[in-house]
Amino acid sequence: LIHNGFKKRIPEQKSTPNISRAFTPHYVMKQLKGSFKTIWKSSITSSPKLHLYSTVKTHFTKEHYLDLIKTYKDRANLTRIRISAHRLEIETGRHRNPRTLR
């Protein structure tokens, strides 16, 4: 919690616990989402591999086309391609084959 901006909100320990409104589930989720979005944005803008992704995906939101894919298997396969967790040659070959100069 301290890492995600809650250090100022942690109450000092007393003999009887003092329940703070700052630790409501809504507030905790809001802080965690904000922290994640900040880290996500800095990660995609600093990665050369994600240059195209960062120009297409500017906001952290659910993509609407994911609702159009009805089967779990198809959604899972598309997600694997989007996050480069697939076994296509473009990913597996760069780890297996030595890099050649062009």
Side-chain angles (χ1 to χ4, degrees), residues 11 16 20 27 44 60 65 73-74 77-78 88 91:
T16 58
S20 173
Y27 180 78
I44 66 168
F60 185 76
Y65 66 84
K73 184 178 177 182
D74 291 341
N77 287 332
L78 180 61
L88 296 176
E91 284 297 321

Side-chain angles (χ1 to χ4, degrees), residues 14-100:
K14 298 179 182 178
S15 59
T16 58
N18 182 11
I19 307 221
S20 173
R21 289 184 197 174
F23 286 101
T24 62
H26 173 73
Y27 180 78
V28 170
M29 287 302 293
K30 184 178 175 183
Q31 287 293 106
L32 289 174
K33 284 180 183 179
S35 178
F36 181 83
K37 286 180 184 180
T38 303
I39 294 167
W40 171 81
K41 188 68 171 177
S42 68
S43 296
I44 66 168
T45 55
S46 64
S47 171
K49 185 177 178 182
L50 296 176
H51 176 71
L52 176 63
Y53 177 79
S54 65
T55 59
V56 174
K57 181 84 171 161
T58 57
H59 300 305
F60 185 76
T61 57
K62 180 182 176 186
E63 296 296 333
H64 297 293
Y65 66 84
L66 292 173
D67 293 330
L68 302 175
I69 302 171
K70 300 299 180 197
T71 66
Y72 171 80
K73 184 178 177 182
D74 291 341
R75 275 194 310 273
N77 287 332
L78 180 61
T79 301
R80 283 188 196 99
I81 291 172
R82 289 187 67 205
I83 65 171
S84 295
H86 51 75
R87 298 227 177 249
L88 296 176
E89 182 67 22
I90 193 167
E91 284 297 321
T92 59
R94 67 191 195 123
H95 298 292
R96 187 178 48 224
N97 302 329
R99 190 170 186 173
T100 58

